[in-house]
Amino acid sequence: MKKLAAVLALGLAFTAPTWAATKTATLDVPGMTCATCPITVKKALNKVEGVAQVEVSYEKKEAVVIFDDAKTTLKALTEATTNAGYPSSVKE
Ligand SMILES: [Cu+2]
C-alpha cells in the first residue's frame, strides 16, 4: 500500500501545473570578457523570481536559463544581466 502511494505521489509531482509553465531560454551575453564574468551573470539571473536553473558558458558567451514563465519574462531576464553590467539578448 505504501508503495502504491509513493507511485501516485510521484505521478502527481510530474503533472503539477507549475511544471507546464517551465521554459528554457538561451541568452547571448557578448560582454563576458574573462572566466569570472559568468559567475556575475549567473548570480544576477538566479536572483530573478521564477528562475529555476542557470548555466552560463564563457566560451559560448551565452546563458541557458530554465524559468517559470508564469513568474518571470524574457525581458526580466535580459534586464537582470544588463543591470549587472552584461547586456544580453534572447537567442532565437
Ligand atoms: Cu570577467
Side-chain angles (χ1 to χ4, degrees), residues 31-38 40 58 86:
M32 295 195 287
T33 53
C34 78
T36 57
C37 288
T40 310
Y58 168 57
Y86 300 92

Side-chain angles (χ1 to χ4, degrees), residues 5-88:
V7 169
L8 285 174
L10 199 66
L12 284 175
F14 278 112
T15 55
T18 49
W19 184 250
T22 301
K23 293 256 169 77
T24 303
T26 303
L27 306 178
D28 259 322
V29 194
M32 295 195 287
T33 53
C34 78
T36 57
C37 288
I39 298 167
T40 310
V41 173
K42 187 171 181 169
K43 267 189 193 163
L45 287 167
N46 271 320
K47 273 189 209 157
V48 180
E49 202 206 338
V51 169
Q53 203 186 324
V54 182
E55 290 301 330
V56 184
S57 167
Y58 168 57
E59 282 170 18
K60 290 187 195 165
K61 300 248 191 310
E62 66 180 32
V64 177
V65 187
I66 298 172
F67 66 100
D68 184 340
D69 76 348
K71 288 183 184 160
T72 192
T73 60
L74 291 171
K75 193 168 177 283
L77 298 177
T78 57
E79 271 178 11
T81 66
T82 301
N83 290 341
Y86 300 92
S88 66

